[in-house]
Amino acid sequence: MNEKQDLIKVGQTGDYEQYELMPCSVVNALQGVRSEVISHYDKDTYSTFADADNDDVTQQIGIGGREYEYVPWGGDNMLPYHVQTLIGKNMVTAQCQNFNTLTCYGQGLQFFERNAPDGSPAGKPKRASDPEIRRFCMRNAIHLQFWEQATDMKYFFFSVLVLTLSRDGSKIVQLRHKDACHCRFAPRDRKTGRPPYVIVANWRHTPPETAKVYPLLDDVDPLGDLLVRLGKEPDPETGLTKAQTSDRSFAIVCRVPTVGRQLYPVPYYFSIFMDAWYDIYRLIGTGKRFMIKNTAAPRIQIEIHKNYWNNVCNEEGITDPEKRKARIKKERQDITDFCTKPENAGKAWITSYDTVIDGKEVRMVRIYTLGEDKKEGGDWADDLVEASNALCFAMGVHPNMVGATPGKSQMNNSGSDKRELFNLKQSIEKPWHDVMEVPYHVMMHFNGWDEKYDIDVPMIEMTTLDKNKEFDIKGNNNEPDNNKG
């Protein structure tokens, strides 16, 4: 028993006052102090996400002596940080997002030679061995960038990567992922219908002066937009070739299509916050915690005769009112310690005992154990499973894939079923990869590597044991894809 206990009066019968041992936090709550219980139950998540898709309001920020306009993300501009906190506070949603990120990552982004088999019976593409490409991957930590990108795509349905060119503008030499939490878009341009730039800053801590602004390439034709800005191709709208811009860093947004094409996409799983299931799971967990916490200690009721406290003081000759209060307080603590301290197990406590003329017993202190055989905390077990399954459904993860409903009675699938579930999950990641690969294709085309090399995200495919291996690796580019150049 970790929490300090105290005696609290719960009633009176005849000459006996009735007390129960309770945790001090409960005592404080009963005395009118705002407790942790109340703070957990006083707010639903819906209010935080009510304006998640509102991009009509704009704000301004001063950077480098110039004013920039941007659209806040959520009413307080802190919506992505709220999402990050809420996802992390719920073990089901946190593990679902971890699983989604890992399955989206697959075997990571890899470079292959076009139509060059590696000599294996399966004729898989041969990994690129060009020193320039290998150096680019090493200097830019491509696998880390792709993993960060997958994380943002699963959390917020978009990611931002910044391409940096050499000084003469002939090569893309650097690729960096920018955390979506820190990205804020400019209002849409009335002519093009897209934001002209993105501002990157840690909006919780970073002073506005340290924020950075990156020109935003057209998300439909980023390569063409880049070539036009560098004066390498004529503008398709005017047919004229512009002077080369002095900018050498450009941002590309990889965006999952959503209904309404919001500036900040509203992921489908946000429904758990605007619906009730996230709150239901949270409230069940909070209620069970306090139920167990407040009943894990020995459930003890103590009846104390109204004359007991005075007898203790009188026997010790204490007459001063303040000293009598202190002695009564100490006696209350002694009773609490006797009933709750482990070292007192098996010990006896001697109190006075008497009878009246009619033979009725008069005991100064009587102790009763309440609900000794009752196991608390299982009241909402079925509801918790229901809420957990609802969260997994909204996150696009089968509960058995992340162990959200463990146990033999929770419809756990066989190994074959789980293998097929995993393979299905991997297969539906391809649309995400097609969107996420756009910046890398731009880099490949701009640097002139696309003639001989291509990129792909090989996926893990679970196989049966009769194939003498537990998994296989399959890519998406075993056949030419005209949409990838």
Side-chain angles (χ1 to χ4, degrees):
M1 183 174 52
N2 297 323
E3 188 173 356
K4 186 178 179 181
Q5 305 286 310
D6 196 5
L7 284 176
I8 181 170
K9 186 176 179 180
V10 295
Q12 184 165 344
T13 303
D15 292 336
Y16 290 94
E17 298 174 340
Q18 295 175 339
Y19 294 82
E20 280 194 25
L21 279 171
M22 295 186 181
C24 290
S25 62
V26 179
V27 175
N28 292 336
L30 294 174
Q31 291 174 346
V33 179
R34 183 175 178 82
S35 67
E36 185 182 359
V37 181
I38 299 176
S39 66
H40 275 284
Y41 283 86
D42 64 352
K43 186 178 180 182
D44 293 335
T45 54
Y46 173 80
S47 58
T48 304
F49 295 84
D51 55 359
D53 59 349
N54 182 15
D55 55 8
D56 296 329
V57 180
T58 62
Q59 297 180 4
Q60 289 189 334
I61 181 176
I63 304 174
R66 179 181 172 185
E67 290 294 321
Y68 290 89
E69 194 174 16
Y70 70 94
V71 178
W73 195 350
D76 59 356
N77 197 35
M78 296 292 157
L79 185 62
Y81 303 114
H82 297 325
V83 173
Q84 177 185 351
T85 300
L86 290 172
I87 291 294
K89 290 172 67 174
N90 185 300
M91 65 178 181
V92 175
T93 56
Q95 189 54 238
C96 283
Q97 284 297 52
N98 180 48
F99 182 77
N100 281 331
T101 301
L102 293 176
T103 53
C104 183
Y105 180 83
Q107 287 291 297
L109 188 76
Q110 298 179 10
F111 293 77
F112 295 93
E113 293 188 19
R114 286 184 180 271
N115 304 318
D118 61 0
S120 66
K124 296 176 182 177
K126 184 179 180 181
R127 293 286 295 274
S129 58
D130 187 289
E132 188 178 5
I133 294 179
R134 296 182 65 181
R135 178 178 175 83
F136 181 90
C137 293
M138 182 177 65
R139 295 294 298 270
N140 290 277
I142 289 296
H143 292 306
L144 178 61
Q145 304 292 334
F146 189 73
W147 197 350
E148 291 179 343
Q149 188 183 8
T151 301
D152 275 350
M153 293 293 286
K154 291 302 183 179
Y155 267 76
F156 304 111
F157 276 33
F158 80 94
S159 63
V160 176
L161 283 87
V162 172
L163 306 177
T164 301
L165 283 68
S166 59
R167 185 172 299 180
D168 62 0
S170 62
K171 291 280 187 179
I172 294 176
V173 296
Q174 189 180 84
L175 187 148
R176 291 291 183 270
H177 170 267
K178 299 299 179 181
D179 198 313
C181 284
H182 304 334
C183 295
R184 299 295 182 272
F185 296 111
R188 289 189 176 96
D189 184 90
R190 292 184 179 180
K191 183 179 179 181
T192 63
R194 56 185 176 83
Y197 56 83
V198 60
I199 302 174
V200 181
N202 188 332
W203 300 89
R204 292 179 299 185
H205 308 298
T206 306
E209 295 77 9
T210 61
K212 293 186 178 181
V213 182
Y214 297 99
L216 198 57
L217 297 177
D218 184 0
D219 55 352
V220 176
D221 183 18
L223 178 61
D225 191 7
L226 179 61
L227 294 175
V228 169
R229 291 172 187 253
L230 295 175
K232 296 179 180 291
E233 284 187 0
D235 188 337
E237 292 188 3
T238 64
L240 302 176
T241 301
K242 299 179 179 179
Q244 185 177 118
T245 178
S246 59
D247 294 323
R248 287 296 178 265
S249 292
F250 301 90
I252 297 180
V253 176
C254 303
R255 188 190 305 270
V256 174
T258 54
V259 177
R261 192 174 173 80
Q262 302 94 346
L263 197 59
Y264 301 101
V266 179
Y268 299 115
Y269 79 87
F270 272 22
S271 58
I272 65 174
F273 303 121
M274 292 180 278
D275 196 354
W277 285 108
Y278 182 91
D279 290 323
I280 290 174
Y281 186 95
R282 175 174 59 90
L283 295 176
I284 291 174
T286 302
K288 288 176 69 72
R289 179 177 66 184
F290 279 97
M291 177 184 294
I292 295 172
K293 185 176 181 180
N294 297 333
T295 59
R299 297 290 306 279
I300 295 175
Q301 178 177 305
I302 302 173
E303 292 184 357
I304 300 177
H305 196 279
K306 64 180 182 179
N307 296 328
Y308 177 77
W309 309 111
N310 291 329
N311 291 345
V312 170
C313 295
N314 294 337
E315 289 178 3
E316 298 183 9
I318 302 175
T319 57
D320 182 83
E322 295 299 322
K323 292 183 178 179
R324 288 175 74 92
K325 290 181 180 179
R327 181 63 183 89
I328 292 174
K329 182 178 180 181
K330 180 180 182 301
E331 185 66 15
R332 287 167 59 93
Q333 186 60 47
D334 289 343
I335 295 173
T336 301
D337 292 342
F338 176 82
C339 295
T340 60
K341 291 294 180 68
E343 57 268 23
N344 292 328
K347 293 184 179 180
W349 182 25
I350 300 175
T351 62
S352 58
Y353 173 90
D354 200 359
T355 56
V356 293
I357 297 176
D358 59 2
K360 184 178 180 180
E361 297 179 355
V362 178
R363 302 174 185 268
M364 300 308 290
V365 177
R366 292 188 288 193
I367 301 175
Y368 303 93
T369 300
L370 305 177
E372 187 175 18
D373 299 327
K374 183 179 179 181
K375 182 179 180 181
E376 302 286 353
D379 303 65
W380 301 304
D382 293 337
D383 302 289
L384 191 63
V385 172
E386 182 185 19
S388 176
N389 288 341
L391 294 178
C392 288
F393 170 77
M395 304 293 284
V397 178
H398 194 283
N400 289 335
M401 297 302 294
V402 292
T405 54
K408 294 182 179 180
S409 63
Q410 303 299 332
M411 297 182 297
N412 271 297
N413 300 76
S414 65
S416 298
D417 292 334
K418 291 180 180 178
R419 181 178 63 250
E420 294 305 318
L421 285 172
F422 181 82
N423 291 340
L424 174 62
K425 179 67 175 177
Q426 289 274 276
S427 67
I428 61 177
E429 297 296 340
K430 188 180 186 303
W432 297 76
H433 295 159
D434 289 342
V435 173
M436 295 165 64
E437 291 173 2
V438 170
Y440 306 96
H441 283 296
V442 171
M443 179 266 297
M444 294 280 288
H445 282 268
F446 193 88
N447 287 355
W449 299 339
D450 60 303
E451 292 295 331
K452 186 177 179 181
Y453 301 101
D454 197 2
I455 57 175
D456 190 25
V457 183
M459 306 307 295
I460 302 174
E461 181 182 11
M462 293 294 180
T463 62
T464 55
L465 296 178
D466 59 356
K467 294 185 179 180
N468 297 322
K469 53 184 177 181
E470 295 182 355
F471 66 88
D472 196 1
I473 298 175
K474 288 192 175 182
N476 297 325
N477 66 352
N478 292 331
E479 297 180 359
D481 188 343
N482 294 330
N483 293 325
K484 295 184 177 181

